[in-house]
Amino acid sequence: MTTGLLRRFAAGRTLALGAVLALALPGTAYANTVSVTVKTPGATSGPATGNSEISTHADCASGLASGGGINQAIGTGASVNGNHVNGTSPSPDGTTEYTGSTGVVGTDVTHWLGIGGSGGQVNASFSTTPYAMCFTSSLINHTQVVMNKANTPTAGATAGRVTATCPANTRLLGGGARTTPGTTGSLKVIASFPTFNNSAHSYGARAAANGETNPDSWSAVGWDSGANAADYTYAYAICSGNGITVTGATVTVRYAEVSGPTSGSTGQTATVGCGGNDGKLVSGGAAISAGSVTTTDFTGPGSGGDHLNGSFPSTSGGAAVADGTTTAAYWTAASHTGGQSSPGTDTAVWALCADDGV
């Protein structure tokens, strides 16, 4: 009888030890601790006058901004072509912009700007809604903003691209774009997307493709129907902080591209989402272009008036999510032509999905 008890005790100890080892061995089990809450204050009206812009902001009361978005109302009639995205970008306080020296320009940012611009026509329906993606993670508890800029585009209907790259041994979480001056009604952002600083992606000229992992850079593209020597385009990369071991963290890119808009004064949308094993949606991007942006160097769309009206977290059907949403898994791009036809034009969208591997 004593022998039987000892055998059962030994067997129990073996099972218990096995359970502990199963929990302790790396790679056997983990829980992704990334979470994101979408914050938005709602719409700000305007611009109310031609060749001007408005700036509004979304703020994270908790968490850090891993990225953000913008959505615009354009109304009806001929003036629908006038409202366009001038910027979707990080800010240290909800007002100040990072437009000075390049490089690492901020840390642990909690504010996101939505900047809407007008062309020569406006209507009372114009508005801009900003979105902040408020990110938390047990691993990535600090972030940094890398900014790059270029005096571009200076020729009409020419893509003015600039790329910001994260420091080594960090993870790209999101990004943004800005064009200035805001009083040039024909100048706007037509692309903001994840990419890689390598030859396969032409050092930022080709976007990250569907299913690629751990992009390290963010590209922005400015577009002007006329020549303006004062035009500047800014790219922002939101990266994990220095000194954080991110080798087990994975950021997966989801990407989709659809045809259009190709007729004058019309719009198009494209939506893509994070899959079940991709992790949580942390940011996204959008573009209107000549298409094939993941396999060829970025080329502008078919008309000088083409522009973006949105790049924002959404439902699977493309509707913008509400303030406080914690389950957003999709990103939507909204594009629009000017008054002219735009042959061969496509709309692209990106979603960045993060798993911190904790």
Side-chain angles (χ1 to χ4, degrees):
M1 184 167 124
T2 302
T3 303
L5 285 172
L6 288 172
R7 286 175 179 167
R8 287 195 294 273
F9 176 69
R13 288 184 61 187
T14 301
L15 288 172
L17 180 61
V20 170
L21 288 172
L23 290 172
L25 285 173
T28 57
Y30 64 87
N32 180 19
T33 68
V34 170
S35 66
V36 173
T37 300
V38 180
K39 295 300 294 180
T40 177
T44 295
S45 297
T49 59
N51 302 323
S52 67
E53 66 179 18
I54 60 165
S55 179
T56 183
H57 57 94
D59 312 301
C60 298
S62 62
L64 304 171
S66 57
I70 183 171
N71 191 20
Q72 296 182 308
I74 61 176
T76 59
S79 59
V80 297
N81 303 322
N83 203 9
H84 54 254
V85 174
N86 276 3
T88 173
S89 53
S91 167
D93 54 16
T95 302
T96 306
E97 297 189 64
Y98 295 118
T99 55
S101 300
T102 60
V104 176
V105 295
T107 56
D108 295 344
V109 169
T110 59
H111 305 274
W112 199 266
L113 301 176
I115 304 170
S118 64
Q121 299 185 77
V122 296
N123 69 52
S125 297
F126 282 4
S127 72
T128 290
T129 302
Y131 298 84
M133 305 296 286
C134 303
F135 167 96
T136 63
S137 162
S138 294
L139 175 69
I140 302 172
N141 56 357
H142 292 288
T143 59
Q144 55 189 315
V145 178
V146 179
M147 184 272 283
N148 197 12
K149 65 181 180 180
N151 181 199
T152 187
T154 55
T158 301
R161 179 188 59 84
V162 61
T163 301
T165 298
C166 289
N169 303 313
T170 66
R171 282 283 182 268
L172 176 79
L173 300 173
R178 173 73 161 121
T179 53
T180 63
T183 53
T184 302
S186 55
L187 176 64
K188 54 265 181 178
V189 171
I190 61 166
S192 179
F193 57 83
T195 183
F196 294 79
N197 184 32
N198 62 26
S199 59
H201 295 81
S202 292
Y203 301 98
R206 298 183 184 184
N210 188 53
E212 288 194 294
T213 58
N214 299 333
D216 62 9
S217 303
W218 197 272
S219 287
V221 181
W223 185 251
D224 197 336
S225 59
N228 187 346
D231 287 355
Y232 268 82
T233 299
Y234 306 78
Y236 303 89
I238 312 300
C239 318
S240 61
N242 291 327
I244 301 172
T245 302
V246 293
T247 52
T250 303
V251 175
T252 300
V253 176
R254 290 301 171 196
Y255 158 80
E257 188 175 73
V258 300
S259 177
T262 56
S263 300
S265 304
T266 60
Q268 179 62 287
T269 61
T271 299
V272 73
C274 298
N277 297 320
D278 292 340
K280 302 292 182 64
L281 176 75
V282 293
S283 63
I288 181 169
S289 74
S292 302
V293 293
T294 64
T295 56
T296 60
D297 289 5
F298 189 96
T299 305
S303 174
D306 295 346
H307 54 275
L308 291 175
N309 285 132
S311 176
F312 53 87
S314 72
T315 66
S316 59
V321 300
D323 180 52
T325 298
T326 59
T327 57
Y330 294 86
W331 200 269
T332 290
S335 64
H336 208 274
T337 56
Q340 306 297 317
S341 63
S342 185
T345 295
D346 288 348
T347 298
V349 63
W350 291 262
L352 263 61
C353 318
D355 185 334
D356 60 16
V358 174

